[in-house]
Amino acid sequence: MAPTRAEPFNDSSALIDFVINQGNGVKGLSEMGLKALPRQYIQPLEERMCMINIKAQESIPIIDMSNPDDPEVVKLICEAASKWGFFQIINHDVPIEVLENVKDATYKFFGLPAEVKNKYSKEHSSSNNVRFGTSFTPQAEKALEWKDYLSLFYVSEEEASALWPLACREQVLDYMRKSEVVIKQLLKMLMKGLNVKEIDETKESLLMGSMRTNLNYYPKCPNPELTVGVGRHSDVSTLTILLQDEIGGLFVRENNGDNWIHVPPIKGSLVINVGDALQIMSNGKYKSVEHRVVANGYNNRISVPIFVNPRPSDMIGPLPELIKDGEKPIYKQVLYSDYVKHFFRKGHDGKKTIAFAEL
């Protein structure tokens, strides 16, 4: 039997007006108590969770960071980045209260009235660096995704103090500051695995010259089996540092396979994944893998990723240390801002973005 569909939004323009133009987001749809999913969110069959193989017994590596200088920890991190592209870290240096505070702040921001959140939308925000939105790229997607977000691109403390929403500003800044130690530890280890002995100022700014933090809100969904929270994609970052709540719903594709693995929430842990920029810079040694988020029929879910990126003006390609000994480059040099624009120009489509940089 075909799924019943939500009557109030048979007209797409009414849905776009309510969700996007008025700033209600999918949170607003969820709170209407709809009995059925609006058709604009119904994903093609091949993108739904019922069509995928879940490997219940598998897990991405969980790595204890209490002694980051231990060669064994370095080895585990580099192996995880090569084989899985994803791992969780525990006993890291980001205090648990910082993580709890940023989760609380995420709920606080999304609890604001629609007209307040809408001040930060593409149409109304005073800066491209602060953006409240919904789905991924609504104008380019065949079906919308069941997610609202606030995206905060860090330029300086002054700009953040002036432009970021008061409901979450200090908590996000604190989360970013405290995470920087861990980010540097991870990059040092990963460079060691590539025989890059030193991260000088130039290399540091190439690896982590810009940062963006997203607050993601996935509200309860009618017919969650028909849609997605986030579709299949890999990140365009160097690394992504993800804080997830206790609800769960993140799935990772097994490298070179068709199986998907759930990433279980572990209190106090951070989920780390390799992004396309690091796959390119490592000449394919470290893998940026597809991941997705399912919609949930019973609970609201939040997550807070920090995307650690090159600067938009950087040229990225295989690191010179890797190709000086005759290793054949598999990627060309590309302007990072061009790569990112290519990613945002289309709906989520798995790993297709990386082809933009292939030789």
Side-chain angles (χ1 to χ4, degrees):
M1 197 175 85
T4 55
R5 290 173 179 171
E7 291 309 316
F9 294 112
N10 275 344
D11 174 8
S12 271
S13 61
L15 180 113
I16 295 299
D17 187 54
F18 178 81
V19 172
I20 297 176
N21 301 342
Q22 294 175 34
N24 288 292
V26 283
K27 182 175 187 281
L29 289 179
S30 177
E31 289 171 352
M32 288 174 77
L34 297 176
K35 292 287 177 276
L37 189 72
R39 63 182 168 77
Q40 295 87 344
Y41 290 89
I42 296 177
Q43 293 287 328
L45 196 57
E46 65 276 10
E47 296 302 333
R48 298 184 206 165
M49 283 305 283
C50 62
M51 298 303 288
I52 73 168
N53 304 318
I54 294 171
K55 232 174 164 179
Q57 71 282 16
E58 279 279 19
S59 167
I60 62 169
I62 296 163
I63 300 170
D64 189 329
M65 287 275 287
S66 46
N67 186 1
D69 296 323
D70 181 347
E72 187 56 30
V73 175
V74 177
K75 182 169 166 261
L76 288 170
I77 296 276
C78 295
E79 279 176 359
S82 308
K83 184 187 172 193
W84 295 89
F86 258 85
F87 51 96
Q88 294 207 63
I89 57 171
I90 55 172
N91 298 324
H92 51 74
D93 284 339
V94 187
I96 192 128
E97 63 270 18
V98 171
L99 304 180
E100 292 304 315
N101 288 345
V102 83
K103 286 197 282 192
D104 291 345
T106 301
Y107 273 113
K108 195 170 173 193
F109 174 78
F110 286 101
L112 294 170
E115 58 274 17
V116 177
K117 289 182 291 196
N118 208 25
K119 288 178 187 167
Y120 302 101
S121 69
K122 187 177 180 181
E123 284 65 37
H124 303 113
S125 181
S126 55
S127 165
N128 276 338
N129 297 333
V130 182
R131 176 71 49 82
F132 167 66
T134 191
S135 193
F136 174 63
T137 308
Q139 67 280 9
E141 291 168 307
K142 293 187 182 77
L144 298 172
E145 299 178 351
W146 193 261
K147 179 188 90 166
D148 297 330
Y149 65 87
L150 175 70
S151 186
L152 301 166
F153 183 81
Y154 181 82
V155 172
S156 66
E157 296 261 342
E158 294 70 37
E159 183 181 285
S161 297
L163 299 178
W164 290 12
L166 187 58
C168 57
R169 177 194 306 154
E170 287 311 318
Q171 295 84 348
V172 173
L173 283 171
D174 200 26
Y175 172 49
M176 290 178 82
R177 281 186 214 111
K178 299 289 195 307
S179 297
E180 200 167 314
V181 179
V182 176
I183 292 162
K184 286 181 175 174
Q185 286 170 344
L186 290 168
L187 288 172
K188 188 178 167 189
M189 294 178 198
L190 290 164
M191 289 303 105
K192 208 174 264 185
L194 299 174
N195 290 319
V196 174
K197 301 286 185 272
E198 191 201 349
I199 302 182
D200 59 16
E201 234 172 274
T202 309
K203 189 146 283 116
E204 185 174 292
S205 80
L206 181 66
L207 293 165
M208 55 178 292
S210 74
M211 287 196 206
R212 177 186 296 281
T213 300
N214 278 15
L215 310 185
N216 294 328
Y217 189 87
Y218 304 90
K220 260 192 311 197
C221 178
N223 312 117
E225 71 286 354
L226 299 180
T227 191
V228 294
V230 179
R232 296 177 302 113
H233 70 289
S234 61
D235 294 345
V236 292
S237 56
T238 303
L239 285 179
T240 302
I241 316 296
L242 176 79
L243 170 63
Q244 58 170 348
D245 68 11
E246 69 288 349
I247 302 301
L250 171 64
F251 285 80
V252 173
R253 189 194 278 274
E254 194 176 30
N255 202 6
N256 301 323
D258 283 329
N259 296 313
W260 290 79
I261 296 157
H262 185 236
V263 179
I266 299 171
K267 193 169 175 63
S269 77
L270 291 167
V271 180
I272 312 297
N273 66 279
V274 172
D276 290 358
L278 186 56
Q279 178 169 326
I280 292 164
M281 288 190 267
S282 70
N283 204 31
K285 178 165 184 192
Y286 297 139
K287 307 289 189 298
S288 162
V289 301
E290 279 181 68
H291 49 288
R292 67 203 305 169
V293 175
V294 298
N296 189 307
Y298 302 100
N299 296 293
N300 302 320
R301 175 182 182 266
I302 56 165
S303 69
V304 189
I306 299 175
F307 300 102
V308 180
N309 307 312
R311 292 169 305 184
S313 58
D314 283 327
M315 294 297 292
I316 62 166
L319 293 171
E321 291 91 337
L322 299 180
I323 49 178
K324 73 174 188 326
D325 296 329
E327 187 180 318
K328 197 166 181 288
I330 53 177
Y331 301 106
K332 60 190 176 192
Q333 295 283 329
V334 293
L335 181 66
Y336 186 62
S337 59
D338 286 348
Y339 190 85
V340 173
K341 278 179 199 149
H342 178 64
F343 176 66
F344 282 106
R345 205 174 281 140
K346 53 198 178 40
H348 281 138
D349 56 3
K351 277 284 291 178
K352 289 184 182 170
T353 311
I354 201 90
F356 185 81
E358 285 170 351
L359 279 169

